[in-house]
Amino acid sequence: MMAEKLLEVKNLKQYFNAGKPSEVRAIDNISFDIYRGETFGLVGESGCGKSTTGRTIIRLYDATDGEVLYDGVSVHAKKSKSEVKALNRKMQMIFQDPYASLNPRMKVLDIIAEGLDVHGLAKNPKERKQKVVELLETVGLNKEHADRYPHEFSGGQRQRIGIARALAVNPEFIIADEPISALDVSIQAQVVNLLKDLQKEKGLTYLFIAHDLSMVKYISDRIGVMYFGKLVEMAPADVLYKNPLHPYTKSLLSAIPLPDPIYERSRVRQPYDPKQHNYGTDEKVEFREVTPGHFVLCSEKEFKEMNVLAN
Amino acid sequence: MGKILQVKDLELSFHTFAGEVKAIRGVSFDLNKGETLAIVGESGSGKSVTTKSIMRLLPESSSEFKSGEILFNGNDLTKLSDRQMQKIRGKEISMIFQDPMTSLNPTMTIGKQVMEPILKHQKISKAKAKEVGMDLLRMVGIPNPEARFKMYPHQFSGGQRQRIVIAIALACNPKILIADEPTTALDVTIQAQILELMKDIQNKVDTSIIFITHDLGVVANVADRVAVMYGGRIVEVGTVDEIFYNPQHPYTWGLLSSMPSMDLAEEKLYAIPGTPPDLLNPPVGDAFALRSEYALQIDMEQAPPMFKVSDTHYAATWLLHPNAPHVDPPKTIIERMKTFRGSRYYEQATGGDA
């Protein structure tokens, strides 16, 4: 499956208030690729820049430096209106808060059809309505729901509407920014299963942003771990969980409580302090490939130590 | 083990424009001295309403105690006057809320906020209260409390604010601490720190904790006993091991199965179908029956009573009735039951299937 690169992020930087004393380096030089048909999970604690990464990729922010290539085309380069439109059709986003991301004054029909209208995908009102009904059924709702307003739905149902809206323009790539964090446990599994089914059916590619590591592991093929604007580790999902190499990833994994009281009684949390690396001033801290497909942010010395352990 | 709080057959309704919402429909449980009781359930199951009714924090204009009692120190909390209740709130029973951003007053220094309950409930001087306040902040892990005392909430991070909220709740050495999703708004690493802090404090001051959450991982970490709520009722209650390794109610099975496990690579995650019941018109019979593949005919007609599984373990499901047909729980649940001595799937040998 590891074949075609759909999205390439190269040395991406996103600084807010650049040059001022209040400069915030939300994304500090990160690079990764997403392959067609896979789910790439991005995890990290709040404020680490994972949402900013998603938003910069879809051009909600202009990047400070670096490149995002979608299918070989730069997302941030200057574009004509029609080029922007073409790109927007391919890339869609699902937001975290199903309460805030739907316009309360619009009917579900119009919310979902907005993309169809913008891109001129429905020839007449009848076709428009029909397409919306199909989308509603795809996400597990039904046609009576089209004439209602967002407040008439539960959180899980609203998230389904958000997914239907993203699907309306037949995208290839969907950025899901914490799509299940605001939902109840029993509903989370429903939405995750829906996303998985849709991926199989339509061959979608996902960037799945979350802080819930157990769900991320379940849905992702590969996972990147972010810490303070930097990608510290990237690996296939099961490799990352079985054999985390960066101390921050280890600390993050050791902090997750599992629904298993016997395991919980013996779990020891490993704290992480960035000072523990003790990098010298002349040491080059880079993203290095330790085993094929498993990248870690480390110095030359750490890299050698990890290599010894890995082989 | 003494019982410090007893909730008996509590029923509570909200009066809304749409009609009467029966938020709690007969809840009974005891809280033992020094233990942590976790109440789990999804939103709308009545877990927060139950604890808010213990604290009497629900608006009196729209909520109504239909029946039942909440016994604390021999008093029925549902019958106390506001004035009597004020002597209990923050002193005998205190509460930590979910969102540390909104539960602190943004216009008051945190020192003042920590001292407030001390000055209110104890007859001591301001200088002494300040000392106590500093000790509290030190205990919850706020470094350099002398300098921090004069700062405002916005100058602290989310985790630190929750620590301050905990310090305020502990100011008068309460007998009961109610924590309503105290870590839901926090990151996993910060969550782990707060949970460690709460356990540490419980060892030191010996208070009983009611811990509300929907995260079963957190429950496994903190709880001594667990009550599972659904549709305004407790459907299963037991020790933490009994609930996680020998669950009996189909809703508990569903909850446990819908958590992705770290080592198994299941193709599809189990999802409980449907949505929680509408408590404006609560279903007759077992509220979970409509979402359950294990539902029996009687579930639609009559609500199940609590069946006894062991001295500490009770579950409200007709499946435990002697005349009920034998059903096997989902596979992941059987795997859990295999490790539990006393469950019907317990396997003595560690070697696997015979």
Side-chain angles (χ1 to χ4, degrees), chain B residues 50-248:
Chain B
T50 304
T51 49
K52 280 191 180 147
S53 62
I54 295 171
M55 285 289 267
R56 289 268 301 276
L57 288 175
L58 297 166
E60 260 161 38
S61 53
S62 63
S63 67
E64 184 194 349
F65 285 108
K66 294 290 231 188
S67 68
E69 47 189 11
I70 302 170
L71 293 178
F72 174 73
N73 268 353
N75 292 323
D76 182 357
L77 295 185
T78 63
K79 304 258 158 42
L80 292 188
S81 68
D82 275 353
R83 186 161 272 247
Q84 286 168 311
M85 204 54 219
Q86 275 168 13
K87 291 206 176 108
I88 291 177
R89 238 184 252 134
K91 181 163 183 254
E92 310 275 354
I93 308 176
S94 60
M95 191 153 179
I96 306 168
F97 296 91
Q98 174 173 356
D99 189 356
M101 315 291 160
T102 52
S103 49
L104 290 171
N105 185 338
T107 65
M108 262 166 94
T109 63
I110 63 127
K112 234 182 175 169
Q113 296 189 57
V114 173
M115 280 158 58
E116 200 178 13
I118 306 170
L119 291 171
K120 189 113 199 160
H121 292 297
Q122 296 172 7
K123 281 195 182 111
I124 54 176
S125 68
K126 253 190 163 167
K128 185 87 185 44
K130 192 171 176 182
E131 244 169 68
V132 177
M134 298 255 202
D135 286 342
L136 280 166
L137 289 178
R138 218 168 279 131
M139 181 170 80
V140 297
I142 300 281
N144 198 5
E146 292 79 10
R148 299 296 232 166
F149 222 64
K150 287 204 182 91
M151 289 188 169
Y152 289 88
H154 74 266
Q155 293 167 296
F156 293 83
S157 70
Q160 280 179 318
R161 276 184 238 186
Q162 199 60 299
R163 284 171 193 269
I164 295 165
V165 173
I166 292 173
I168 296 171
L170 291 172
C172 296
N173 290 322
K175 302 217 169 54
I176 300 173
L177 182 63
I178 298 173
D180 189 353
E181 308 238 9
T183 60
T184 308
L186 305 174
D187 277 317
V188 262
T189 41
I190 312 295
Q191 163 173 297
Q193 290 171 17
I194 297 290
L195 294 180
E196 278 162 28
L197 171 71
M198 288 184 69
K199 280 194 274 190
D200 186 42
I201 284 171
Q202 192 177 24
N203 284 338
K204 276 187 206 149
V205 300
D206 195 37
T207 139
S208 306
I209 298 179
I210 298 180
F211 200 107
I212 301 173
T213 178
H214 63 256
D215 186 333
L216 291 170
V218 172
V219 175
N221 183 280
V222 299
D224 297 310
R225 287 198 308 132
V226 183
V228 182
M229 279 194 82
Y230 188 80
R233 289 204 172 110
I234 290 180
V235 295
E236 186 161 5
V237 60
T239 65
V240 68
D241 284 11
E242 284 166 339
I243 297 293
F244 280 86
Y245 300 123
N246 192 24
Q248 299 296 327

Side-chain angles (χ1 to χ4, degrees), chain B residues 232-284:
Chain B
R233 289 204 172 110
I234 290 180
V235 295
E236 186 161 5
V237 60
T239 65
V240 68
D241 284 11
E242 284 166 339
I243 297 293
F244 280 86
Y245 300 123
N246 192 24
Q248 299 296 327
H249 197 282
Y251 178 63
T252 319
W253 294 347
L255 272 187
L256 285 167
S257 316
S258 59
M259 297 279 292
S261 64
M262 282 303 204
D263 33 47
L264 283 172
E266 316 99 303
E267 203 16 58
K268 203 158 172 108
L269 203 58
Y270 177 78
I272 303 175
T275 49
D278 175 10
L279 293 177
L280 255 171
N281 308 296
V284 206

Side-chain angles (χ1 to χ4, degrees), chain A residues 45-46 184-186 189-190 193 197 200 215 217-218 241 256-262 264-265 267 269, chain B residues 42-43 187 191-193 196 214 217 220-221 240-241 244-245 262 266-270 272 274 291 336:
Chain A
E45 53 198 282
S46 40
D184 263 319
V185 245
S186 76
Q190 289 179 7
N193 281 340
D197 289 344
K200 235 183 247 165
M215 265 315 172
K217 186 211 168 209
Y218 173 72
Y241 278 79
I256 310 172
L258 295 184
D260 186 346
I262 293 173
E264 279 304 308
R265 275 166 215 145
R267 180 167 62 89
R269 188 168 60 87
Chain B
E42 49 203 316
S43 25
D187 277 317
Q191 163 173 297
Q193 290 171 17
E196 278 162 28
H214 63 256
N221 183 280
V240 68
D241 284 11
F244 280 86
Y245 300 123
M262 282 303 204
E266 316 99 303
E267 203 16 58
K268 203 158 172 108
L269 203 58
Y270 177 78
I272 303 175
R291 298 172 77 187
R336 285 174 173 274

Side-chain angles (χ1 to χ4, degrees), chain A residues 73-292:
Chain A
V73 180
S74 169
V75 173
H76 294 276
K78 206 166 183 191
K79 282 197 185 58
S80 70
K81 256 190 181 161
S82 62
E83 283 170 325
V84 171
K85 248 186 174 177
L87 198 67
N88 285 347
R89 240 193 99 173
K90 291 185 191 151
M91 253 199 271
Q92 285 289 314
M93 193 152 178
I94 303 167
F95 295 91
Q96 171 172 6
D97 188 346
Y99 294 86
S101 58
L102 302 177
N103 186 338
R105 297 179 177 217
M106 278 167 86
K107 283 185 181 163
V108 168
L109 174 73
D110 299 315
I111 290 174
I112 296 176
E114 212 172 5
L116 300 174
D117 300 343
V118 169
H119 295 283
L121 297 177
K123 287 183 206 77
N124 51 51
K126 206 178 145 205
E127 192 189 339
R128 181 172 180 259
K129 171 112 195 206
Q130 191 206 332
K131 281 201 163 157
V132 170
V133 170
E134 274 168 30
L135 285 162
L136 283 172
E137 279 162 6
T138 317
V139 297
L141 299 170
N142 59 49
K143 68 169 186 272
E144 281 83 54
H145 291 133
D147 290 319
R148 298 197 193 159
Y149 287 93
H151 75 263
E152 297 173 69
F153 294 90
S154 68
Q157 286 175 318
R158 283 184 218 205
Q159 203 55 295
R160 286 172 192 269
I161 296 169
I163 294 171
R165 173 175 64 181
L167 290 175
V169 295
N170 269 327
E172 303 171 317
F173 178 57
I174 291 182
I175 298 175
D177 188 0
E178 308 234 16
I180 53 165
S181 305
L183 306 177
D184 263 319
V185 245
S186 76
I187 309 298
Q188 283 187 356
Q190 289 179 7
V191 172
V192 166
N193 281 340
L194 172 66
L195 287 171
K196 268 203 147 178
D197 289 344
L198 289 170
Q199 182 169 41
K200 235 183 247 165
E201 231 169 85
K202 300 177 189 282
L204 296 169
T205 307
Y206 291 133
L207 171 62
F208 192 91
I209 301 168
H211 66 261
D212 178 346
L213 287 110
S214 48
M215 265 315 172
V216 173
K217 186 211 168 209
Y218 173 72
I219 195 171
S220 306
D221 299 302
R222 290 188 306 132
I223 296 175
V225 181
M226 278 188 84
Y227 182 73
F228 272 89
K230 287 192 165 72
L231 210 51
V232 296
E233 189 161 0
M234 181 166 77
D238 46 335
V239 175
L240 188 86
Y241 278 79
K242 275 195 204 110
N243 187 22
L245 292 175
H246 196 277
Y248 177 67
T249 315
K250 288 181 188 169
S251 154
L252 204 57
L253 285 172
S254 72
I256 310 172
L258 295 184
D260 186 346
I262 293 173
Y263 165 83
E264 279 304 308
R265 275 166 215 145
S266 60
R267 180 167 62 89
V268 181
R269 188 168 60 87
Q270 299 174 18
Y272 173 68
D273 181 357
K275 288 190 200 108
Q276 74 191 60
H277 294 286
N278 241 331
Y279 291 133
T281 41
D282 52 341
E283 267 183 302
K284 244 184 148 182
V285 182
E286 282 179 334
F287 213 46
R288 298 165 206 259
E289 191 166 12
V290 179
T291 54

